[in-house]
Amino acid sequence: MASIVRVQAPSGNRALFITTLAVPLTGWTVHAVSLHRKLAAARKDPLTGLLGRDGFTTRARQITDRYGDAALVVLVDLDHFKQINDGPGGHAAGDRVLAVTAQRLTAWAGSRGAVGRLGGDEFAVAVRIGPARRELRLAQLVQLLAQPVEVEDGVLVDVAASIGAASPDVLGTTDLSVLQRAADAAMYAGKHTGRAVLAGPQHATVPSINGRRAGRPGTHTLGRAA
């Protein structure tokens, strides 16, 4: 219930001021901001059904914080995707490749992993995989993503992906931004090699702009590397 404060007005008349209306307004503002953040975190990519960037970040942090050294953050970038988009099948073929890639990543990560589409043909995964199984599981992922994709009229499109991974036990941190930056650098170090690269400490120190490896498309106008 609002409280009323009585103050003496210059004319000598009593004036009434309702002072606590701002309290519920502030409460609604906080609620609205919280709701917006929850909706952003829950929002799915309409094409692939994967988590968007905000949703993936939230879920991935939960995984790295919970599993620590047994967590693995993986970044995936499709090779020669522009050629698929510009090829005979056009954007429909490109969309099909993106959707199938999302399905494969989801199957590989399992029900407890987090898979997100960061934008374009960039994907990210956070999953629990212990050190003893990393090499085998990453090799399986390379093979899985290299299987041709069937598009319209049964046409098969050859696909491949560059994969970089980062783990807290190697880098000495569960900070998701550091893990993603290192995985990104490792991914580009192994670009078009047909193998996944597990980041080492040297990958965590690669200059970055807004969390992305300096020199990547779209970063040159964002400012100097941090």
Side-chain angles (χ1 to χ4, degrees):
M1 181 174 63
S3 61
I4 298 175
V5 176
R6 299 178 182 274
V7 298
Q8 188 69 33
S11 62
N13 296 326
R14 299 278 183 179
L16 302 181
F17 292 86
I18 300 175
T19 61
T20 56
L21 287 177
V23 174
L25 286 176
T26 301
W28 277 111
T29 300
V30 172
H31 174 73
V33 170
S34 175
L35 180 61
H36 173 75
R37 289 175 177 171
K38 289 179 180 179
L39 289 173
R43 191 173 296 127
K44 299 292 184 70
D45 174 60
L47 174 63
T48 64
L50 298 180
L51 294 169
R53 186 181 293 271
D54 290 342
F56 172 77
T57 297
T58 298
R59 183 74 183 100
R61 281 179 176 152
Q62 294 172 349
I63 291 173
T64 55
D65 289 344
R66 179 175 182 179
Y67 296 117
D69 288 350
L72 189 69
V73 174
V74 182
L75 291 190
V76 175
D77 192 57
L78 296 180
D79 295 340
H80 310 298
F81 181 71
K82 188 176 185 302
Q83 295 179 14
I84 297 174
N85 247 354
D86 295 343
H91 291 293
D95 288 349
R96 175 63 178 163
V97 168
L98 292 173
V100 171
T101 299
Q103 294 169 6
R104 292 172 176 177
L105 289 172
T106 300
W108 182 81
S111 60
R112 296 186 179 182
V115 185
R117 183 186 179 196
L118 303 185
D121 59 324
E122 297 177 84
F123 299 86
V125 182
V127 67
R128 180 186 183 184
I129 299 177
R133 300 179 62 232
R134 282 179 197 146
E135 184 175 348
L136 174 61
R137 295 282 278 119
L138 287 172
Q140 291 173 341
L141 180 59
V142 171
Q143 294 179 352
L144 182 63
L145 296 182
Q147 295 178 16
V149 173
E150 183 177 332
V151 295
E152 194 173 67
D153 298 327
V155 175
L156 292 179
V157 174
D158 290 329
V159 294
S162 295
I163 301 170
S167 58
D169 63 315
V170 174
L171 300 182
T173 180
T174 59
D175 187 320
L176 181 63
S177 62
V178 175
L179 293 170
Q180 286 191 182
R181 182 168 66 246
D184 182 72
M187 177 180 69
Y188 274 83
K191 194 72 174 169
H192 306 308
T193 64
R195 63 187 179 87
V197 178
L198 182 63
Q202 73 276 16
H203 295 107
T205 60
V206 171
S208 65
I209 299 172
N210 288 0
R212 305 180 69 189
R213 180 185 57 84
R216 292 188 65 177
T219 61
H220 64 284
T221 60
L222 296 179
R224 298 182 61 187

